[in-house]
Amino acid sequence: MKAVIQSGGRGTRLRPYTSVLPKPLMPIGARPVLELLLHWLRRSGIEEIYITTGYLGHLIRSFCGNGEQWGINIIYTQEIEPLGTVGALSLLREKLDTTFLVLNGDILTDLNLSAFTGSHRRHGGPLTIATTARPTKLDFGVIDEVGDVVVQFREKPTLVNHVSMGIYCMEPDVLPFIPNGTPFGFDDLVLCMMQKNVPVHTFRHSGLWLDIGRVDDFHKAQEIDWDGQVPSHQAAAI
């Protein structure tokens, strides 16, 4: 199993901190997000990892090197211009020749990768999205109406939606949908596949998931003992 860590973004949600450091190198305690991600992948038996870089990519390469300190092999790509959330996969067409993982470089989770990839293989489709439930507190009164008549009013409700965790299991069949040299987002990929009636599956996760690009999640991550933690959903080797 190969994994691609997407690390080319500018981290605009965490400015001004990311004016100095790329988002994957933002510190969580004594370690950057990216190192915690690499440890998680290594514990799950993944040893071949590609890191796509763009903004401040030289800092990521300087920190991680070739990965030998963690018992993994790291290969880098460099975006000359931003290619979006999955556009950088076009630079790895010849390398991604079997089932592979794609994940954002700014997330922390205890997702069981063995269960995730097992579900992907069982349904046999080309793409599986890891999802989780996320509450959103609205600061407005929400009106449900039929015509111009109010049928329900909810004052500042909390809505729960299932959201993408930024972790995907893919087959090489996905790569032809991604154009060369053109910014291309994951939303573009999913819409393109749906338009061509290619199924996109999901895998629901109920454990830990933090999006470090959000200030609230970044602060929550600081409260966790990542060295001492044994995640309840940690995967066995794939």
Side-chain angles (χ1 to χ4, degrees):
M1 179 72 70
K2 301 176 181 179
V4 180
I5 301 178
Q6 304 274 58
S7 300
R10 290 185 170 272
T12 54
R13 292 177 296 171
L14 283 181
R15 286 179 177 169
Y17 310 110
T18 47
S19 298
V20 179
L21 288 174
K23 191 164 47 174
L25 293 187
M26 290 295 294
I28 305 297
R31 297 178 178 178
V33 177
L34 184 54
E35 183 177 356
L36 295 174
L37 265 181
L38 292 172
H39 284 199
W40 172 63
L41 290 171
R42 183 64 185 86
R43 287 196 302 268
S44 297
I46 297 176
E47 301 177 8
E48 188 170 352
I49 297 173
Y50 298 88
I51 299 180
T52 66
T53 65
Y55 176 69
L56 298 179
H58 64 286
L59 297 180
I60 293 175
R61 291 191 294 272
S62 296
F63 177 80
C64 295
N66 62 9
E68 63 182 355
Q69 66 269 44
W70 301 300
I72 58 179
N73 180 47
I74 297 177
I75 298 172
Y76 300 91
T77 67
Q78 176 68 39
E79 298 176 29
I80 305 302
E81 297 290 338
L83 293 176
T85 49
V86 294
L89 295 181
S90 64
L91 305 175
L92 292 167
R93 295 187 193 279
E94 303 303 319
K95 304 291 185 182
L96 302 175
D97 53 1
T98 186
T99 306
F100 60 96
L101 295 170
V102 178
L103 55 149
N104 297 342
D106 59 355
I107 59 170
L108 293 171
T109 182
D110 61 358
L111 173 69
N112 185 320
L113 285 180
S114 182
F116 178 47
T117 57
S119 173
H120 172 81
R121 290 188 172 107
R122 282 192 296 276
H123 65 61
L127 171 60
T128 304
I129 306 170
T131 67
T132 192
R134 194 76 172 196
T136 303
K137 175 71 173 178
L138 297 183
D139 293 330
F140 308 97
V142 175
I143 295 174
D144 296 332
E145 59 183 337
V146 175
D148 58 357
V149 177
V150 175
V151 296
Q152 186 176 11
F153 182 88
R154 291 167 290 161
E155 178 62 23
K156 298 181 180 179
T158 296
L159 305 181
V160 178
N161 296 289
H162 284 94
V163 301
S164 169
M165 294 172 59
I167 305 175
Y168 319 106
C169 193
M170 300 185 181
E171 298 297 325
D173 297 346
V174 169
L175 297 175
F177 291 102
I178 301 174
N180 290 326
T182 300
F184 198 73
F186 185 73
D187 55 334
D188 297 317
L189 174 62
V190 172
L191 290 173
C192 186
M193 293 177 67
M194 292 176 64
Q195 288 170 0
K196 296 183 181 296
N197 295 317
V198 178
V200 177
H201 293 82
T202 62
F203 178 87
R204 190 169 297 181
H205 174 59
S206 59
L208 174 70
W209 176 69
L210 296 173
D211 173 5
I212 302 305
R214 299 180 71 255
V215 174
D216 288 348
D217 280 10
F218 178 70
H219 290 159
K220 287 178 184 177
Q222 307 296 338
E223 302 170 0
I224 298 174
D225 178 9
W226 295 98
D227 288 329
Q229 186 198 45
V230 180
S232 58
H233 293 74
Q234 182 56 53
I238 297 173

